[in-house]
Amino acid sequence: MKIINNAFFGLLVLILTTLPTNMFSQACPACSNPALQSSEKLEAGIDTLYQGAFRLTFNVTNGFDYQGGHLNSIGLSENGQSIDVPLHEHIVELDFVRTELNLEYTFKTNWTTWLRLPYDVKIQNASVNYFEIVTPNEQEAILRNRDIHHRNETYSGFSDFRLLVAHRINGFLFKKGRLDVALGTTIPIGKTEENSLIAGENGEKHLHIQFGSGTFNPLFEFHYVIGLSNRFSLAFYSINMLPFYENKKGYQAALETTNGIGLGYRFMDWFFVRTTFANFSQSQAKWNGIKDPNSGLISFNTTVNLTFKLKSGLAITPGYRFPISQKTLSDVGDTFTYGPTFVLNASYLFNNK
């Protein structure tokens, strides 16, 4: 039985083209983007998966100091009317923990179903940065308006599941090359919110963070790995979600893609190191056809993972991801940019002959 590396960084080590937004009104691609998979797909090793093989993978992602916010010059009166106030800045920070259970079952040689079940905890903190002296009444109006948009709260729940069917092709392009191609869909079980843009305009309390898209969104992935030598392996992957319709609340999730390249080195049979460079891109989501300024991000990241293969057949892979560069698609929204992110992957392959 053989195991895996960290599939995680595949997801969190993001991105390479300009697709799409995320499932939240306030975009948090790293904590909402469920493009996580076992890094076994990025390591030379197991070639053939036999009927009846079952892989269980448990992923944990912990992100700190994800930054959002925007300039603002609007306050809210006691009776809920918008009023002009001195220019200030809403500062929004997010810490999160995502745990994801991945189940992979081979129903026919080299044909496998993948099911990913993510659960998220998001801790949001909101504050205000004042650029000039404000009166007590102005400060109350500023804080009143901030609190309808962002609050110091913790949110938790399941995010949309992902179900795919994958086919493995051994000896693809090169004798030591292996390709996994997968097609599937999201399963909309995550909690969704009402139109936050309208609520904000009306001075009504609302939530920018949501846990699902409310729609079945097509998924496409490929993972290619080639053994360069007995110790080095090179991997490429692409993970994509392609929403094409609105949910019943008028929300259409953004296109999103993660593309990456990774180089792995085996120091010993039980110890591997992999560095992955990736690009994550998400377009802007839409509410009733109007672009959501709280979404849209292009980011380049690097992840370093260490994999320890234990005698019991269990593989443990801790890792650290750090952003290289990133850009939000809107200057007036609250899209979160990445902070430091720690990942942990534990995986076991059962019953592979």
Side-chain angles (χ1 to χ4, degrees):
M1 299 187 228
K2 218 162 182 187
I3 335 259
I4 15 187
N5 288 347
N6 186 334
F8 241 17
F9 58 84
L11 148 93
L12 287 133
V13 305
L14 299 14
I15 311 180
L16 190 157
T17 40
T18 304
L19 286 168
T21 151
N22 128 342
M23 300 185 185
F24 300 38
S25 305
Q26 183 159 327
C28 175
C31 57
S32 65
N33 174 2
L36 309 179
Q37 69 292 313
S38 165
S39 65
E40 176 270 340
K41 298 176 186 64
L42 303 179
E43 292 287 351
I46 296 177
D47 291 321
T48 300
L49 291 172
Y50 294 98
Q51 183 174 351
F54 176 71
R55 185 183 301 279
L56 178 65
T57 304
F58 185 70
N59 294 308
V60 180
T61 306
N62 192 189
F64 299 91
D65 295 329
Y66 279 49
Q67 298 293 322
H70 56 87
L71 298 176
N72 194 59
S73 59
I74 297 175
L76 204 62
S77 68
E78 291 184 3
N79 60 4
Q81 299 298 312
S82 296
I83 59 175
D84 292 331
V85 294
L87 183 67
H88 58 279
E89 182 182 15
H90 288 184
I91 300 175
V92 189
E93 299 176 345
L94 187 77
D95 296 342
F96 74 91
V97 178
R98 157 168 285 222
T99 57
E100 181 172 284
L101 182 65
N102 295 340
L103 308 174
E104 304 179 15
Y105 177 72
T106 303
F107 59 90
K108 182 180 179 181
T109 300
N110 283 336
W111 285 91
T112 305
T113 56
W114 302 345
L115 178 61
R116 299 172 184 152
L117 313 174
Y119 185 86
D120 292 308
V121 177
K122 302 174 175 62
I123 304 168
Q124 180 178 261
N125 292 290
S127 58
V128 174
N129 181 28
Y130 299 99
F131 300 117
E132 54 187 275
I133 297 176
V134 297
T135 68
N137 286 338
E138 289 173 333
Q139 184 178 42
E140 288 181 6
I142 288 171
L143 295 179
R144 200 178 291 120
N145 182 61
R146 180 206 63 182
D147 288 344
I148 69 169
H149 294 280
H150 339 279
R151 298 164 294 281
N152 296 330
E153 293 180 341
T154 297
Y155 311 102
S156 61
F158 285 101
S159 292
D160 288 349
F161 294 172
R162 291 195 169 197
L163 177 65
L164 301 100
V165 175
H167 180 50
R168 172 166 292 183
I169 304 173
N170 297 319
F172 186 79
L173 296 181
F174 299 93
K175 184 178 180 179
K176 293 184 177 182
R178 187 188 71 222
L179 176 68
D180 286 299
V181 179
L183 295 173
T185 181
T186 60
I187 301 176
I189 62 94
K191 185 177 183 295
T192 60
E193 301 295 329
E194 299 292 339
N195 192 324
S196 60
L197 302 185
I198 293 177
E201 291 176 356
N202 294 336
E204 300 172 352
K205 183 178 179 180
H206 55 277
L207 180 61
H208 285 289
I209 291 178
Q210 56 184 0
F211 286 78
S213 64
T215 55
F216 290 89
N217 304 316
L219 303 172
F220 168 70
E221 301 183 14
F222 75 79
H223 308 266
Y224 181 71
V225 61
I226 180 173
L228 302 177
S229 69
N230 290 333
R231 294 188 179 274
F232 282 100
S233 63
L234 183 66
F236 304 89
Y237 66 90
S238 181
I239 301 171
N240 306 277
M241 184 180 76
L242 310 169
F244 64 95
Y245 69 103
E246 297 178 351
N247 67 17
K248 62 181 180 180
K249 299 176 181 178
Y251 178 74
Q252 182 175 340
L255 296 170
E256 62 181 30
T257 186
T258 300
N259 298 302
I261 178 172
L263 182 65
Y265 183 77
R266 178 175 61 85
F267 283 91
M268 290 168 274
D269 289 342
W270 56 271
F271 180 56
F272 298 76
V273 175
R274 175 171 293 279
T275 299
T276 303
F277 173 78
N279 162 251
F280 173 78
S281 298
Q282 65 170 195
S283 65
Q284 289 183 276
K286 294 180 180 179
W287 288 102
N288 297 316
I290 299 175
K291 290 182 179 179
D292 185 353
N294 304 300
S295 62
L297 177 70
I298 300 174
S299 174
F300 293 87
N301 301 268
T302 293
T303 300
V304 178
N305 294 93
L306 307 176
T307 296
F308 302 90
K309 293 193 173 183
L310 308 181
K311 290 183 178 179
S312 61
L314 178 68
I316 305 293
T317 304
Y320 176 72
R321 188 198 65 194
F322 54 93
I324 297 174
S325 67
Q326 47 194 328
K327 178 183 178 181
T328 58
L329 300 187
S330 172
D331 294 329
V332 297
D334 297 327
T335 302
F336 285 109
T337 56
Y338 295 102
T341 306
F342 295 92
V343 296
L344 178 66
N345 168 284
S347 178
Y348 195 93
L349 176 64
F350 299 87
N351 198 34
N352 196 47
K353 300 176 183 178

